[in-house]
Amino acid sequence: MTYWQALLLAIVEGITEFLPVSSTGHMIIASKLLGITATPFVKLFLVVIQLGAILSVLVVYWKRFFQSFDFYLKLLVAFLPIVVVGLALKKHIDALLESVTTVAVMLLLGGIVLLFVDKWFPQEDPQHGGHPVTNPSWKKAFVIGLFQCLAVVPGVSRSAATIIGGLTQKLTRRAAAEFAFFLAMPTMAAAAVKDIYDYYKEAHTQGITLGHLFSGEEVKLLLLGNVVAFVVALLAIRLFVGFVTKYGFRAFGIYRIIVGGLLLAMLALGLNLQLV
């Protein structure tokens, strides 16, 4: 992987992490289009740079971050289902990460769902101003966490699944999106730590010590990816919240259908879009 490829992937991650369009799916597609071989380090890179993106939540919502301890316990409750599902299906998830076909189908199906979300959950968002993010009940937090589990399939979109889960629990569009942002932090941090640990275990079997886990070049690529994803995500969060509060999710549904349809058409024509 070159620096330019890492830069472009980080931009894609920063833009798509908090949009209901699947950041993982877009990075899989971008990796193929850029001709990047799916080495163990590349797969790790695609997960770890999401840390940079989710750290932008701390900057955008730093005034709200010191909420009641009760709120963080509810985040933990919402986080637990993905831990169980992620650990149980880790090998299957890793296999799906190489499938553009899976991404295409999920983008298309998810797009169809987003076309109707605003009709299913009609609402008028109140002025949010400086008020803290909506604090759902314990039950609602758990249900939102169950919805997040759908995102283990590449192309579903963790953001979309979590936001829709919030909408089913009567949260406003803004509150559902913001709760999804907060929930992304423990979820993606855990995913990154788990992948780094697995990467280390594999390297250890080959006699590679912790101090030599990454080459100097790989460290630079990871730093570049996280910094760029962080900066781009800062802009994306602000734009997304304002857009979805005013216009809803239909535009994202149309986008997903177009991208998923194009990918399926390319696959039907015999073009090889699987990562190599």
Side-chain angles (χ1 to χ4, degrees):
M1 180 191 294
T2 67
Y3 287 107
W4 280 110
Q5 289 172 329
L7 175 66
L8 291 173
L9 285 178
I11 291 173
V12 171
E13 161 59 22
I15 293 173
T16 60
E17 178 59 42
F18 299 107
L19 303 185
V21 297
S22 177
S23 61
T24 300
H26 277 72
M27 285 195 290
I28 291 173
I29 296 168
S31 297
K32 177 56 186 176
L33 294 176
L34 292 171
I36 301 173
T37 301
T39 63
F41 173 75
V42 168
K43 293 180 181 179
L44 181 69
F45 178 88
L46 296 181
V47 174
V48 172
I49 64 170
Q50 295 179 62
L51 284 175
I54 64 174
L55 283 176
S56 63
V57 176
L58 282 173
V59 175
V60 176
Y61 294 104
W62 69 272
K63 290 183 179 179
R64 300 186 194 174
F65 226 78
F66 299 99
Q67 301 188 65
S68 66
F69 186 66
D70 174 77
F71 176 76
Y72 296 104
L73 288 178
K74 289 174 182 176
L75 277 181
L76 176 62
V77 168
F79 166 64
L80 289 178
I82 196 71
V83 174
V84 176
V85 173
L87 290 175
L89 302 179
K90 181 68 167 62
K91 292 183 179 179
H92 300 288
I93 295 170
D94 287 344
L96 289 174
L97 286 175
E98 299 183 22
S99 174
V100 176
T101 302
T102 300
V103 172
V105 172
M106 291 301 103
L107 282 173
L108 183 61
L109 294 179
I112 293 172
V113 171
L114 287 180
L115 286 182
F116 299 98
V117 162
D118 296 321
K119 291 184 178 180
W120 292 338
F121 307 104
Q123 59 187 290
E124 289 296 331
D125 279 359
Q127 292 295 321
H128 211 59
H131 299 292
V133 66
T134 297
N135 192 347
S137 68
W138 296 95
K139 179 182 177 181
K140 290 181 178 181
F142 181 71
V143 171
I144 293 171
L146 292 177
F147 269 84
Q148 182 176 230
C149 293
L150 297 173
V152 298
V153 181
V156 169
S157 171
R158 189 205 58 78
S159 178
T162 311
I163 290 172
I164 291 174
L167 293 175
T168 67
Q169 300 307 298
K170 310 301 182 182
L171 271 66
T172 64
R173 287 196 294 262
R174 179 184 288 271
E178 291 177 346
F179 188 80
F181 298 162
F182 280 100
L183 185 54
M185 300 191 69
T187 302
M188 298 316 304
V193 170
K194 180 65 169 62
D195 276 31
I196 291 173
Y197 176 68
D198 290 342
Y199 188 80
Y200 166 71
K201 280 202 308 182
E202 179 62 29
H204 187 66
T205 62
Q206 302 174 19
I208 300 175
T209 63
L210 182 60
H212 296 86
L213 185 60
F214 300 112
S215 67
E217 193 79 359
E218 289 173 338
V219 170
K220 292 177 182 177
L221 288 170
L222 288 171
L223 288 174
L224 173 65
N226 276 282
V227 170
V228 173
F230 169 77
V231 173
V232 176
L234 279 177
L235 301 174
I237 286 179
R238 297 180 184 278
L239 291 174
F240 171 63
V241 172
F243 183 91
V244 78
T245 299
K246 186 174 182 179
Y247 299 108
F249 297 96
R250 184 177 177 81
F252 297 105
I254 294 173
Y255 170 79
R256 288 180 62 123
I257 291 172
I258 291 173
V259 174
L262 286 174
L263 288 173
L264 288 176
M266 293 170 72
L267 291 168
L269 291 173
L271 297 179
N272 180 21
L273 294 178
Q274 303 302 313
L275 292 182
V276 295

